[in-house]
Structures are given as C-alpha cells and as structure tokens.
Amino acid sequence: MAILTYPVTLKTGSDYASATKLIDIRSFPDLGGAPEQVETTTLSDGARTYIAGIQDQQALEFTANFDKTDFMSINAITTETTFWLEFGTGGSGGVFTWKGTAMAYVNGAGVNEVVEMTVVCTPSTPITLYSSN
C-alpha cells in the first residue's frame, strides 16, 4: 500500500511518546544509503568481486520555509538529540528514528520566491524504523 507525503512530521524528544514537532518541513532526504563495496577479487577471478561493507549514511538535509524562531531554535541544538520522522497521522505510515545534531542555514533565492532554509541533521546512530513493541 502506498502512503502520501501528507502528513510527514519531523520531531525531537527522548522518546516517541513525548516527542514534539521540531518544524514544518517541505522535503526530506533519503533515509539511508547503499553499503560500501569491499573488494574481494583474487588473482584467479575473471572479474572483480565484492561483499557489502558498512552502509554509507550521509548528513540528512531537510528543506523548510525560513522562520526566524525556527532557525534560532534549530541552531540552539548543541548536543546530541533524538529525532523522529513520522509518516501519517500518529505514525500510522511508519516512524524512523536516529540520534544526532542539527543546524540550519538560509538558502539563496530569487525574485518572487519563498525564502527557505535547510536543516542539516548529522546522524550519530543508524537510522532505524521505530517499533513501539
């Protein structure tokens, strides 16, 4: 079954039950990445061979409308925080979680455009699908 990008909510909090919305987001990034390819080729192989290595996990960049209060509150996050990305009302479409830090910067813009900001979350733990069980 497919789900929509409405509603998707970025939250923070030490546990999901008490997490609160950090900001309204316009877009979210890939939640993970391909594993590194570790070469296992020997001199008797006719082609290069590999095994999957460690999963590559880049900074997570969320786009949001610029709001001075939101911008300041994100940049005030100076310690590791738990993030929750909630799909659907009450997480009915799934909830992903990770720990990390965050910062925000204002994006460039042109004539008659909405001023946006990018929220960069640097994960310090793997991104996992949350299960309340």
Side-chain angles (χ1 to χ4, degrees):
M1 179 173 110
I3 63 171
L4 292 172
T5 56
Y6 172 78
V8 175
T9 309
L10 180 60
K11 296 182 170 187
T12 58
S14 59
D15 60 80
Y16 180 60
S18 65
T20 58
K21 180 168 66 172
L22 179 61
I23 57 165
D24 286 315
I25 56 173
R26 294 179 53 105
S27 68
F28 60 89
D30 293 345
L31 301 176
E36 291 183 14
Q37 299 293 308
V38 179
E39 188 174 355
T40 59
T41 309
T42 68
L43 294 175
S44 59
D45 289 328
R48 292 185 185 273
T49 59
Y50 301 89
I51 59 172
I54 297 172
Q55 182 183 14
D56 191 8
Q57 186 169 271
Q58 301 293 320
L60 305 172
E61 295 188 2
F62 298 84
T63 304
N65 293 331
F66 173 74
D67 176 86
K68 181 181 172 183
T69 303
D70 289 344
F71 179 83
M72 290 171 35
S73 67
I74 291 163
N75 284 316
I77 299 173
T78 58
T79 60
E80 183 180 75
T81 301
T82 303
F83 295 91
W84 307 87
L85 189 61
E86 178 183 80
F87 292 87
T89 304
S92 61
V95 177
F96 288 83
T97 186
W98 67 94
K99 289 184 180 181
T101 57
M103 58 84 60
Y105 64 88
V106 178
N107 301 349
V111 173
N112 201 31
E113 293 181 347
V114 171
V115 177
E116 295 179 332
M117 63 182 177
T118 297
V119 176
V120 181
C121 291
T122 303
S124 58
T125 64
I127 301 163
T128 59
L129 181 60
Y130 173 72
S131 174
S132 59
N133 297 335

